[in-house]
Amino acid sequence: MSDNTLSSRLYPTRIDIPAEARVQIVVILNQTLAATLDLKTQTKQAHWNVKGTDFYQLHELFDELAGELEEYIDLVAERVTALGGYALGTVRSAASDSILPEYPFDILDGKEHVTALADRFAPYAKHIREAIAKTNDLGDADTADLYTEISRTIDKRLWFLEAHLQVAEIKAENGKADTTKIQKIPTAVI
């Protein structure tokens, strides 16, 4: 974290979650705050710079994604402070603490932006799922629930992004599905 003293410091609160657990939860939340701020700005980067035949649809989609991320920024930061922590939500802290790779500035094509965003939404989704488990293990069902809410939307948005890419990945030369690239789902044993 960009400021280790603040990321693990709490102010007095009457919340009944033990301070030792709250410190760990606040660190996780601040990591999420950094990644969410970063993902939002990267999504806006795509929104501003997308070009091509699908410009309008992608421009609108990227703006919608960024708007949803803005809401999560506020939810996460407010949860940090509700637990007695300090929300570390500046651009500089996000840049130094984000789990995401830097966004490529030299792309314009819509498909390249979709790929770049999918490559960032996927590790973000993984981080969110890991945070669900960690905060639940620390006895904070409310924070785990907040993460679950975020996870559902992020998984859906990753699906939206990947849907733009999957046809090209599975389509063979004659428009038939290339079964070597389709992931087989095992049938459940009853």
Side-chain angles (χ1 to χ4, degrees):
M1 301 298 307
S2 57
D3 185 339
N4 287 331
T5 59
L6 275 183
S7 68
S8 61
R9 195 167 101 197
L10 301 175
Y11 54 84
T13 179
R14 290 174 179 80
I15 199 161
D16 65 339
I17 299 170
E20 302 79 32
R22 286 187 292 124
V23 166
Q24 293 175 63
I25 295 163
V26 165
V27 168
I28 295 165
L29 284 163
N30 271 315
Q31 181 70 64
T32 302
L33 183 57
T36 310
L37 279 159
D38 189 20
L39 186 57
K40 181 212 169 201
T41 61
Q42 291 193 35
T43 303
K44 287 302 273 190
Q45 180 71 22
H47 165 77
W48 296 320
N49 290 290
V50 67
K51 306 286 185 245
T53 57
D54 294 327
F55 161 76
Y56 185 76
Q57 295 87 340
L58 292 176
H59 181 77
E60 291 294 311
L61 174 61
F62 298 161
D63 199 38
E64 188 175 331
L65 297 175
E68 289 171 347
L69 291 164
E70 181 68 35
E71 291 177 29
Y72 295 139
I73 290 165
D74 204 43
L75 287 173
V76 170
E78 288 176 352
R79 185 64 186 161
V80 168
T81 59
L83 293 172
Y86 292 82
L88 307 178
T90 67
V91 172
R92 288 184 182 145
S93 66
S96 68
D97 298 338
S98 178
I99 60 167
L100 303 176
E102 182 59 77
Y103 198 81
F105 291 109
D106 61 344
I107 60 175
L108 297 173
D109 180 69
K111 191 174 220 175
E112 290 178 9
H113 281 293
V114 170
T115 300
L117 288 176
D119 288 346
R120 283 146 184 83
F121 269 74
Y124 180 77
K126 180 181 179 188
H127 164 79
I128 296 297
R129 271 188 289 287
E130 290 170 349
I132 293 169
K134 288 176 187 174
T135 56
N136 197 45
D137 289 347
L138 289 165
D140 186 357
D142 293 332
T143 300
D145 185 55
L146 181 144
Y147 277 120
T148 300
E149 176 186 341
I150 295 170
S151 179
R152 277 192 297 270
T153 301
I154 295 303
D155 283 352
K156 181 178 179 182
R157 293 320 198 160
L158 179 57
W159 165 51
F160 279 25
L161 291 167
E162 288 181 332
H164 285 85
L165 305 171
Q166 289 167 336
V167 171
E169 293 173 358
I170 63 173
K171 193 173 182 181
E173 286 181 25
N174 292 330
K176 296 180 182 175
D178 178 359
T179 57
T180 61
K181 293 187 180 184
I182 297 175
Q183 189 175 10
K184 302 272 188 209
I185 300 173
T187 56
V189 179
I190 298 178

